[in-house]
Amino acid sequence: MRLVAVVPHHTIADGEYDDLTVGRFSALGFALQVRSTAATDARSGVSQEGGPVPVTTVTGTVVVPSEEAPPILAAGAVQPLLASADETWPADAQLAVTGQLVVEPYLWAADGMLWPLVPDGVRMWSVDGIRRIGLDGIEDLTTLSGPTDLDHGSTYVLELVDV
């Protein structure tokens, strides 16, 4: 499976992703910043369309790991946190959720709240590409910018392949 995910500015500014390099492997968990939801009976899965930052649709079953943790949408290979949503969904609801797929380092970290509750939410991915998308165009990078080289006006995206 191939995915494109955004790395939020604050994670780069915090220094959490200095080691992401094209050609290396990384354990990553995701959040889906929700734009829309719809009830569905479709098979679970992930699709992306558009660019340079694709819109991601994840279809699957809602998992509520705890009262404190936001819901997860289990869609087979990818189980993203449903983030920035105004709605609440019951456990076992079948949904198609569309939004922007974002690397989520804090909640999915080994000492974060989601990893022990839903360990399948984190998987190994090969980093096949890193791009900076800014007002001056698109630049291919070999390594994700660190905090000192961060361009706050740009969007950083990862091209990932599961291993």
Side-chain angles (χ1 to χ4, degrees), residues 51-162:
V53 181
V55 172
T56 303
T57 299
V58 180
T59 305
T61 304
V62 175
V63 176
V64 182
S66 76
E67 291 182 4
E68 294 81 26
I72 307 297
L73 191 60
V78 177
Q79 295 194 38
L81 163 74
L82 295 181
S84 66
D86 295 330
E87 301 174 55
T88 57
W89 302 282
D92 297 328
Q94 299 292 311
L95 292 179
V97 181
T98 297
Q100 186 176 73
L101 191 67
V102 176
V103 173
E104 172 49 71
Y106 179 68
L107 294 175
W108 284 115
D111 57 351
M113 82 165 49
L114 292 179
W115 182 80
L117 295 172
V118 191
D120 290 341
V122 176
R123 295 187 52 143
M124 290 300 295
W125 298 84
S126 170
V127 180
D128 275 14
I130 302 172
R131 294 194 309 259
R132 183 185 64 81
I133 303 169
L135 296 175
D136 55 350
I138 299 173
E139 178 183 8
D140 289 324
L141 306 173
T142 56
T143 302
L144 189 65
S145 301
T148 57
D149 298 322
L150 178 61
D151 178 355
H152 289 279
S154 295
T155 299
Y156 292 85
V157 297
L158 303 176
E159 296 177 18
L160 304 168
V161 177
D162 68 332

